[in-house]
Amino acid sequence: MNSFGFEIQKDNTIEYDKNDLSLAAFVLKHEPSLYNCIQCGSCSGSCPASAISSYQFRKMQLLMRRGEIKNLREDVAHCLLCGKCILVCPRGVNTRNVIRQIRIALNMN
Amino acid sequence: MKFNLFVLPFTIGLVVLFCILIAKYVRWFLNLNPEQRDSVKKNFLTIKTLSGLKEILLESLLHRNISKKNRLLGYMHMSLAFGWFLLIIVGHFESYSYFKTAMEPPYIPIFLRYFQQDALADPLQVVYWFVMDFLLLFVLSGVALAWYKRQNQKRFGMRKTTRHLPADRVALSVLWLIFPLRLLAESITSALYGGGSFLTSGLGSLLENNIATNLSFVASWWAYSISLGLFFICLPFSRYMHIPTEVILIMLRNWGATKYSGKIDGITQFEVHSCSSCGICLDSCQLMELGHSNIQSPYLFRNFRANRLTDQEVQNCLMCGRCETACVVGIKTNSARQAIRHNSSAEVNHDYLRHVDTSFNSSPDVLYFAGCMTHLTPGIKKSMQTIFKAAKINYALADEDRNICCGRPMMLSGLADQAAAMVNKNKELFEKSGARTLVTSCPICYKVFREEYNLDIEVIHHTQYIDRLMKEGKLDLVKSEEHVAYHDPCELGRSSGIYDEPRNIINSLANLNETPANRELALCCGGSIANIILTSHEKKELALSALEKIVPQNTETLVTACPLCKKTFVSTGKSLKIIDIAELVAENLTVGQTSRKFGKFQKVESASI
């Protein structure tokens, strides 16, 4: 088959009823500033880890809040904790504590 | 043999105390790392031991540092420590003069008035009685002041004093009881058997008719002995552990063995147990303003000792180092906190850093590492580039499109081991460049490059670098009439000791208005990456409050030397020109030296970033 340079994407159904939302609830409880997130992506835009790896804070927290936490452990391990994302966040989300709370919830600390 | 049952509580307490102390100290000594142990061995038989002993006299007994803070507070501590020490020493001499042997059991000199009730022909006895009464009065004045301080700490120069755990309260109460009970026992003895000097004999004659009986005589000596025994048993489990531990810490410090390894080791234990929870550092903590009043260093160390640490004490700290400056014992609070935060098992995956390209196209003399925070305040980076060009320096940017964090934020979070991947990658980058000098704009990076990287090339902050360029006459600058204030960043000032270079630069470019909160007393901007707990609102509140204290009247501009401080201050929205020192220099370059003249009153980069 000819390759046209694009592929068929897999269905992306978010199974809110089946997904595990407890982790998101834990993180939001301990760092409620994440509720303020407007998904602008400034964090990922400034992130030195995002520039050279697949890690993106915006995507990671979005997936977490949907309960799609399969790759969360691997994602959060990429963070360098440099704190640029905190400084650029227009909504004052304490991103570093979000990372820390995820790490606590996943027993990574 | 001189013996009475009442000496048992004291003797048992003393034996238990020594057993516990020896067990603890041996364990902590074994926990010193090889480097620390070597410097103890190397310096043990040198003049350093003598200077250590002198410091013990000045600090542990005379409490010179506390007296510098507040004379009344200093007197209170001195009268308790030095007075008690002299009571013991003079008591031993007195006992020797009566019994002509130094091999008496330890309780004899302590309860000497019980064992030597009769007056002797020796005229020295009257002198001893007078001296001992005088010393007891000296100690009692300290106890009275200590009691008064609990109610009126403001009189002692302290706005806040520490809140104690139950164990500490018990020990405190017992300590306060010891000397009044001694006075009572000796006075009753004097009433019944004579002897004593102005204090005990005076009080004795008042008690003679009703209180001084054989029963109260025995009871008072028992009570005195029990209070001593109880205090000794409480000591290793309360804040009074600082009394013996500080002595050892001072010796270790003089032997040069107090370099932190970053983990909880013997030194951490000695330092943490040397904290007396005196609370002198509390007033320096800016988090008090936000109502966080249970997370300061004394609480961290206390809860560490009691094995009841919570996340709040460990993480909720700016690590600005103000408490370290205030500490009269000289405990390295920041290093101790970092050791307590240390977590070698935390899981990270920084394998992707392998793919970062560290090759260089040019061979620069000077490498400029802007740092993450400078990338978020590009005005600083542009100004540095302007300065490099004006001074015709062969420089290169180390982290323009492949910036990796320096690793310090991760280390401050306790993940020092995990930061190694970043450290190695950056080292590789610096070494491949072939540069001889590494200039950085961020004091956070500066500190870590200097202290943790073990680099062969010179590491220098841009304030030092610009100062050097100016001294070499490479920059053609004009002085303006602007009135500016300078804010010392924590990591550059207190942490790295760089105070003069930025002032040299500013003095030759503008009129510097010094603020009272400068140099080692500088305030934290509130943006510290060491604190992961504070909300953005709280950080802003801290920044606004700091600005209010930092900026003197008639000041148009606040100059700082840290991109994080600048960013934090600017984002408060305060109508004040806030710039980095590099921007000030770039603004004041003559037109001939720069094609990009900054508008003087444009509020340029500060407002737009």
Side-chain angles (χ1 to χ4, degrees):
Chain A
M1 207 167 98
N2 286 335
S3 167
F4 293 101
F6 35 138
E7 57 189 75
I8 297 168
Q9 290 207 335
K10 276 194 288 182
D11 278 353
N12 189 5
T13 316
I14 308 165
E15 303 263 15
Y16 274 115
D17 293 332
K18 289 184 189 163
N19 286 353
D20 179 8
L21 299 171
S22 63
L23 199 138
F26 175 87
V27 174
L28 284 161
K29 184 182 159 202
H30 289 94
E31 191 45 65
S33 68
L34 185 58
Y35 280 118
N36 298 344
C37 176
I38 51 171
Q39 317 279 348
C40 69
S42 299
C43 43
S44 304
S46 68
C47 176
S50 295
I52 44 181
S53 75
S54 59
Y55 167 72
Q56 286 181 40
F57 183 85
R58 187 190 70 86
K59 187 175 156 193
M60 183 187 72
Q61 65 85 29
L62 179 68
L63 292 177
M64 177 190 76
R65 288 169 80 174
R66 286 177 181 168
E68 297 176 332
I69 54 172
K70 209 173 67 194
N71 297 325
L72 190 59
R73 195 180 190 92
E74 201 185 318
D75 272 346
V76 80
H78 283 54
C79 174
L80 301 172
L81 280 174
C82 71
K84 279 173 96 174
C85 44
I86 283 200
L87 292 185
V88 297
C89 180
R91 301 289 290 157
V93 177
N94 189 351
T95 48
R96 291 176 85 224
N97 200 29
V98 171
I99 303 272
R100 193 173 72 104
Q101 295 302 338
I102 296 174
R103 297 179 61 95
I104 291 171
L106 294 174
N107 269 327
M108 293 170 74
N109 268 355
Chain B
M1 167 111 177
K2 293 177 279 294
F3 179 77
N4 186 297
L5 270 182
F6 83 82
V7 303
L8 279 181
F10 161 80
T11 315
I12 293 169
L14 192 67
V15 171
V16 170
L17 170 67
F18 270 94
C19 290
I20 296 176
L21 284 187
I22 289 167
K24 285 194 181 217
Y25 290 161
V26 166
R27 209 174 63 226
W28 298 343
F29 263 107
L30 294 177
N31 268 340
L32 293 181
N33 66 30
E35 198 187 329
Q36 295 161 345
R37 231 176 293 165
D38 280 350
S39 56
V40 172
K41 275 184 214 151
K42 206 172 71 194
N43 296 315
F44 190 72
L45 289 176
T46 62
I47 190 94
K48 287 177 181 165
T49 304
L50 285 179
S51 65
L53 292 174
K54 183 182 154 206
E55 199 184 326
I56 289 171
L57 174 73
L58 287 174
E59 295 306 333
S60 299
L61 293 173
L62 299 177
H63 289 90
R64 183 184 53 169
N65 273 343
I66 303 183
S67 303
K68 281 183 199 157
K69 301 262 169 193
N70 182 293
R71 283 164 80 175
L72 195 58
L73 197 63
Y75 174 80
M76 178 194 116
H77 284 86
M78 182 189 68
S79 61
L80 281 168
F82 193 51
W84 197 359
F85 176 75
L86 285 181
L87 268 182
I88 297 170
I89 296 292
V90 178
H92 275 81
F93 278 110
E94 190 185 357
S95 156
Y96 181 77
S97 84
Y98 298 161
F99 307 123
K100 302 293 176 221
T101 168
M103 298 304 289
E104 295 287 357
Y107 55 80
I108 297 285
I110 306 297
F111 305 113
L112 193 61
R113 287 290 289 284
Y114 179 88
F115 291 107
Q116 180 60 51
Q117 294 154 356
D118 308 325
L120 299 167
D122 189 358
L124 252 181
Q125 191 181 34
V126 182
V127 179
Y128 274 123
W129 279 345
F130 175 79
V131 172
M132 292 299 273
D133 267 18
F134 177 77
L135 289 175
L136 186 59
L137 184 66
F138 183 44
V139 179
L140 282 169
S141 70
V143 176
L145 281 173
W147 180 79
Y148 181 64
K149 176 183 156 255
R150 280 279 128 192
Q151 279 82 38
N152 299 288
Q153 66 262 26
K154 281 190 187 132
R155 291 279 174 88
F156 294 75
M158 289 165 75
R159 285 203 302 274
K160 287 264 178 354
T161 189
T162 23
R163 290 180 307 276
H164 296 304
L165 291 180
D168 290 329
R169 284 177 191 280
V170 172
L172 180 75
S173 314
V174 176
L175 177 63
W176 286 355
L177 274 179
I178 290 175
F179 300 101
L181 285 174
R182 177 175 177 140
L183 175 66
L184 185 70
E186 293 194 345
S187 300
I188 292 175
T189 311
S190 169
L192 294 179
Y193 300 99
S197 191
F198 65 96
L199 185 64
T200 47
S201 152
L203 188 62
S205 62
L206 285 178
L207 304 175
E208 212 163 8
N209 294 327
N210 35 30
I211 295 175
T213 60
N214 279 336
L215 181 69
S216 68
F217 169 70
V218 175
S220 61
W221 282 106
W222 268 97
Y224 175 43
S225 173
I226 289 172
S227 66
L228 277 171
L230 257 182
F231 180 70
F232 290 155
I233 291 175
C234 287
L235 187 143
F237 308 104
S238 69
R239 66 199 191 101
Y240 296 101
M241 185 66 179
H242 80 269
I243 299 171
T245 313
E246 193 197 339
V247 171
I248 297 181
L249 180 69
I250 289 175
M251 291 316 292
L252 287 172
R253 208 180 279 151
N254 277 280
W255 290 328
T258 46
K259 193 169 180 290
Y260 265 83
S261 65
K263 310 180 181 45
I264 296 173
D265 55 12
I267 286 301
T268 321
Q269 296 282 7
F270 279 117
E271 290 229 316
V272 166
H273 285 82
S274 293
C275 172
S276 62
S277 304
C278 66
I280 289 175
C281 61
L282 291 181
D283 291 339
S284 69
C285 182
Q286 289 170 258
L287 292 184
M288 283 284 198
E289 291 173 22
L290 300 174
H292 297 292
S293 58
N294 54 353
I295 43 80
Q296 283 69 22
S297 295
Y299 299 118
L300 173 80
F301 298 152
R302 181 192 76 186
N303 289 0
F304 176 83
R305 295 189 299 250
N307 218 351
R308 40 175 276 176
L309 278 178
T310 68
D311 210 36
Q312 277 290 325
E313 295 105 46
V314 181
Q315 302 293 345
N316 194 357
C317 173
L318 299 160
M319 303 218 0
C320 63
R322 280 169 58 82
C323 54
E324 201 166 305
T325 309
C327 180
V328 286
V329 185
I331 296 170
K332 295 194 191 93
T333 52
N334 269 352
S335 309
R337 187 180 288 267
Q338 211 172 320
I340 292 172
R341 282 184 182 180
H342 185 258
N343 177 0
S344 55
S345 60
E347 189 182 320
V348 299
N349 177 7
H350 295 158
D351 286 350
Y352 61 90
L353 293 178
R354 280 182 296 146
H355 306 300
V356 177
D357 178 19
T358 53
S359 60
F360 266 88
N361 299 327
S362 57
S363 52
D365 296 329
V366 174
L367 198 59
Y368 176 59
F369 188 92
C372 297
M373 299 305 162
T374 314
H375 283 290
L376 297 179
T377 48
I380 302 177
K381 194 175 92 180
K382 281 179 196 152
S383 304
M384 279 310 292
Q385 287 175 295
T386 310
I387 293 166
F388 280 126
K389 275 181 203 147
K392 298 192 175 62
I393 303 291
N394 172 21
Y395 79 101
L397 291 166
D399 62 340
E400 188 165 29
D401 53 355
R402 49 192 166 185
N403 68 60
I404 309 173
C405 171
C406 62
R408 181 147 166 89
M410 199 144 215
M411 294 177 190
L412 286 172
S413 304
L415 281 67
D417 300 343
Q418 292 82 343
M422 282 178 261
V423 173
N424 292 337
K425 202 72 204 177
N426 281 326
K427 270 177 100 161
E428 188 184 315
L429 181 75
F430 301 153
E431 275 156 17
K432 276 196 186 167
S433 74
R436 291 187 303 274
T437 306
L438 174 64
V439 180
T440 172
S441 283
C442 176
I444 304 166
C445 304
Y446 170 70
K447 187 171 165 66
V448 75
F449 289 160
R450 229 174 44 139
E451 292 177 11
E452 309 285 340
Y453 271 56
N454 297 321
L455 290 170
D456 292 330
I457 58 174
E458 178 194 32
V459 178
I460 188 168
H461 186 253
H462 74 244
T463 49
Q464 296 168 295
Y465 189 68
I466 294 170
D467 185 44
R468 186 190 293 176
L469 289 180
M470 282 166 66
K471 283 188 177 136
E472 287 170 355
K474 289 193 176 156
L475 295 176
D476 196 2
L477 295 155
V478 279
K479 182 166 178 167
S480 72
E481 286 309 308
E482 215 172 349
H483 287 271
V484 306
Y486 176 65
H487 165 68
D488 286 285
C490 304
E491 297 273 67
L492 192 67
R494 265 188 303 273
S495 236
S496 304
I498 296 172
Y499 297 114
D500 296 330
E501 289 91 338
R503 286 179 169 78
N504 292 344
I505 299 171
I506 295 172
N507 278 326
S508 48
L509 296 179
N511 301 312
L512 176 60
N513 292 349
E514 284 284 8
T515 77
N518 66 358
R519 293 183 180 253
E520 56 271 12
L521 296 178
L523 294 162
C524 174
C525 67
S528 168
I529 41 159
N531 194 318
I532 207 162
I533 302 269
L534 289 186
T535 65
S536 55
H537 296 292
E538 288 175 315
K539 286 183 177 177
K540 188 174 171 184
E541 211 174 303
L542 274 184
L544 278 170
S545 145
L547 275 179
E548 215 144 86
K549 291 171 196 148
I550 289 167
V551 185
Q553 286 189 328
N554 309 324
T555 307
E556 298 140 31
T557 308
L558 179 68
V559 179
T560 183
C562 169
L564 184 54
C565 293
K566 181 189 163 183
K567 183 92 184 157
T568 311
F569 283 143
V570 167
S571 51
T572 59
K574 183 131 173 148
S575 59
L576 174 78
K577 187 176 163 194
I578 298 162
I579 55 171
D580 187 90
I581 201 157
E583 292 169 297
L584 181 77
V585 175
E587 271 182 30
N588 289 283
L589 282 169
T590 53
V591 187
Q593 270 211 318
T594 169
S595 52
R596 186 172 174 277
K597 176 76 179 150
F598 287 80
K600 202 170 155 200
F601 296 108
Q602 278 177 11
K603 277 199 183 169
V604 262
E605 311 296 338
S606 57
S608 59
I609 292 159

